[in-house]
Amino acid sequence: MSNRVSLRDNHRLRVYRAEQRVRDLFDAADHTGERTIEVFDARITMPVEKRMADLEQAAAYLDGVLALRAVRRRLSRAGIAVTIRARKGHTAAHYEPDTHTIAIPMQRPSEVRELLLLHELAHHLQPPVSVAHGPQFCRVYCDLVRRVLGPEPAWLLRACLIDSGASYH
Ligand SMILES: [Zn+2]
């Protein structure tokens, strides 16, 4: 989620739906010996998606992604440090643009997984004036997933975003 309200965020639910599908397929891959799944008439191998043990680990993970040369080269806002904080209650994670802060609920650290952190980091890296879950967000999100998790999950995320009707270009 994001606090950006100046532009209509009318694809938010589509992005969430696509992300849920990718999450489910990551989980399905956990239960196959070779980590291969069949989806959209393709057979792909999924990497292991890391779960964060605590806030410090999540912070180190975000710093590591921002330090990647490929990320720095492609995304100009990667030079801006991001802060992470625990969010009270059972609400969803969100990004606070004014302070460059990702707020995540830590009641169940195992639910703080790479896709969630990369989603929030994509809000940090998308152009400041762009629709929260619009096409520029989707492009940055898929780019991050490709750089960090690899081409197969990135292909899958892109396919799910398009299939769910989120705008992507
Ligand atoms: Zn979001």
Side-chain angles (χ1 to χ4, degrees):
M1 275 200 287
S2 166
N3 285 349
R4 289 158 212 251
V5 290
S6 53
L7 299 167
R8 281 189 65 194
D9 185 19
N10 50 12
H11 281 174
R12 182 167 59 94
L13 292 177
R14 293 172 189 188
V15 169
Y16 287 177
R17 203 157 47 226
E19 192 174 294
Q20 183 63 53
R21 271 177 91 182
V22 177
R23 252 197 318 260
D24 290 346
L25 289 163
F26 262 110
D27 292 343
D30 287 342
H31 302 291
T32 70
E34 309 275 300
R35 304 200 58 77
T36 54
I37 51 165
E38 288 186 27
V39 59
F40 294 121
D41 291 329
R43 191 173 167 80
I44 62 172
T45 303
M46 299 289 276
V48 174
E49 188 194 5
K50 293 188 198 97
R51 262 77 163 174
M52 306 298 143
D54 50 36
L55 208 59
E56 288 69 35
Q57 201 179 347
Y61 177 84
L62 291 168
D63 288 346
V65 174
L66 287 179
L68 290 175
R69 213 154 52 152
V71 171
R72 291 219 164 212
R73 206 167 37 222
R74 286 179 61 86
L75 299 158
S76 58
R77 286 174 52 85
I80 304 169
V82 72
T83 304
I84 189 166
R85 70 170 176 86
R87 193 176 185 198
K88 290 199 175 71
H90 291 272
T91 44
H94 76 175
Y95 176 69
E96 296 160 355
D98 294 342
T99 54
H100 306 141
T101 300
I102 290 172
I104 46 172
M106 290 301 296
Q107 285 85 0
R108 287 187 291 267
S110 62
E111 289 176 12
V112 181
R113 44 200 288 178
E114 288 189 87
L115 275 182
L116 180 149
L117 290 176
L118 294 176
H119 176 125
E120 299 308 327
L121 197 59
H123 285 310
H124 176 63
L125 295 173
Q126 72 182 123
V129 183
S130 56
V131 181
H133 297 91
Q136 285 156 304
F137 166 83
C138 290
R139 189 182 60 75
V140 172
Y141 186 22
C142 288
D143 201 21
L144 283 178
V145 168
R146 188 160 75 86
R147 305 279 164 191
V148 179
L149 288 165
E152 284 161 316
W155 171 84
L156 179 61
L157 176 61
R158 184 169 178 270
C160 287
L161 284 167
I162 292 167
D163 198 51
S164 72
S167 50
Y168 182 101
H169 60 225

